[in-house]
Amino acid sequence: MAEVRTIGVVGLGAMGAGIAQVSIEAGYDVVGREVSTGLCDAAAGRIGHFLTRKVEKGQLGAQARDAAVGRLTTTTALDDLAACDLVIEAIVEELGAKLELFAELERICRADAVLATNTSALSVTEIAAATSSAERVIGMHFFNPAPLMPLVEIVRAELSSDDAFETGCIVAERMGKTPVRCHDTPGFVVNRVLIPLLNDCIRVLDEARVTPEDLDTAMTRGAGWPMGPCTLVDLVGIDVHVHASEALYEKLREPRMAPPPRIVAMRNAGLLGRKSGRGFYTYE
Ligand code: 3HC
């Protein structure tokens, strides 16, 4: 595999923009791809905002911020990722869309480029099967918010090569993250544990007739969580959480994995958490 200098990030939503941010901060050139210039500009604005907050708080020099921002280009054309050494996919969690994208990436990218997916709950092996070079496909699973959460799960799919796998670890370390190596099993490490736990929390809301505020207080004050479960699910996205629960339930058939009806109803009503302005809480 080539040494990684340029990273492509496909999908510049909350996760993709966060991944692009940590990549430019680590000195990588980044080509970020979104489907419209409006979404490209929104992501660049979000990244600029968070980097400027770091400058204001004395965590980053103004020159370093400007240099980092200068390393980011955005595009709506997937072909512009042709020169990337590593591409990290962070698009919608739909297998069909990811299969189509990876087939396209294989056509566009150099043969020695590593192709990574940030999927939360889909199978990296299934995604890799969209290509005829599955050995270069790995999972690089970041946590939300990507600029703040130190962990990256580096996921070895059935046919991933040692080279591609180690490239993922090296890049994560250079980003200042802590990589954990794991195999491609449903939910990998953290979500395998966290998803059923969050679903239990949501069930407790009704069982114990406790408010979201009090449940959050209980888990932050009583269990030392940095953030209460309702705040966390709002941050991750109600739709993202429901989708990940359904995907894990489909594979593992464990009742605790299944999304509780309450949260499915919220998703169906368009209460998606922070990003829609309303979930368990209301946001400005
Ligand atoms: N992107 C970039 N920077 C951000 C950011 C974001 N999304 N959100 C906040 N920041 C920056 C801001 O500049 C903020 O400072 P400001 O408010 O002064 O501008 C700064 O980070 C610090 O923010 P906070 O004061 O909110 O930081 P905290 O010390 O409260 O910590 C936290 C925040 C790290 C998110 C902490 O609450 C935490 O660890 N929460 C748990 C999160 C968690 O569990 N995530 C995993 C979710 S599961 C997942 O992602 C898996 C997936 O597959 C679904």
Side-chain angles (χ1 to χ4, degrees), residues 56-238:
E56 286 164 357
K57 290 190 287 186
Q59 296 167 351
L60 185 71
Q63 274 186 340
R65 183 231 8 232
D66 295 345
V69 168
R71 285 190 283 270
L72 175 70
T73 54
T74 59
T75 180
T76 56
L78 208 54
D79 284 344
D80 288 343
L81 274 67
C84 293
D85 308 302
L86 163 69
V87 177
I88 304 175
E89 167 275 313
I91 66 167
V92 62
E93 280 282 90
E94 281 170 16
L95 184 61
K98 291 193 196 276
L99 295 179
E100 225 172 88
L101 175 64
F102 273 75
E104 273 289 279
L105 288 174
E106 176 173 50
R107 184 183 64 75
I108 290 165
C109 298
R110 288 195 325 267
D112 63 349
V114 174
L115 306 180
T117 172
N118 177 52
T119 186
S120 298
L122 300 175
S123 157
V124 182
T125 304
E126 269 183 71
I127 295 169
T131 71
S132 56
S133 50
E135 65 282 355
R136 60 165 156 160
V137 180
I138 58 168
M140 286 184 78
H141 182 220
F142 291 77
F143 291 79
N144 195 341
L148 303 185
M149 298 299 288
L151 183 69
V152 184
E153 291 170 337
I154 309 296
V155 183
R156 183 191 276 279
E158 222 37 51
L159 298 176
S160 305
S161 69
D162 291 346
D163 261 10
F165 190 57
E166 287 311 316
T167 299
C169 295
I170 290 165
V171 170
E173 266 166 8
R174 180 161 162 205
M175 288 173 175
K177 302 292 184 194
T178 308
V180 161
R181 294 166 171 81
C182 61
H183 278 256
D184 181 30
T185 52
F188 315 134
V189 180
V190 172
N191 278 345
R192 172 69 179 80
V193 176
L194 187 60
I195 299 271
L197 202 52
L198 288 172
N199 284 334
D200 281 347
C201 289
I202 295 160
R203 289 185 185 101
V204 165
L205 280 175
D206 296 323
E207 288 166 13
R209 282 175 263 173
V210 66
T211 62
E213 289 84 353
D214 281 352
L215 177 61
D216 279 358
T217 302
M219 295 309 288
T220 51
R221 297 295 166 89
W225 286 26
M227 183 181 258
C230 298
T231 308
L232 180 57
V233 175
D234 270 1
L235 171 74
V236 165
I238 305 277

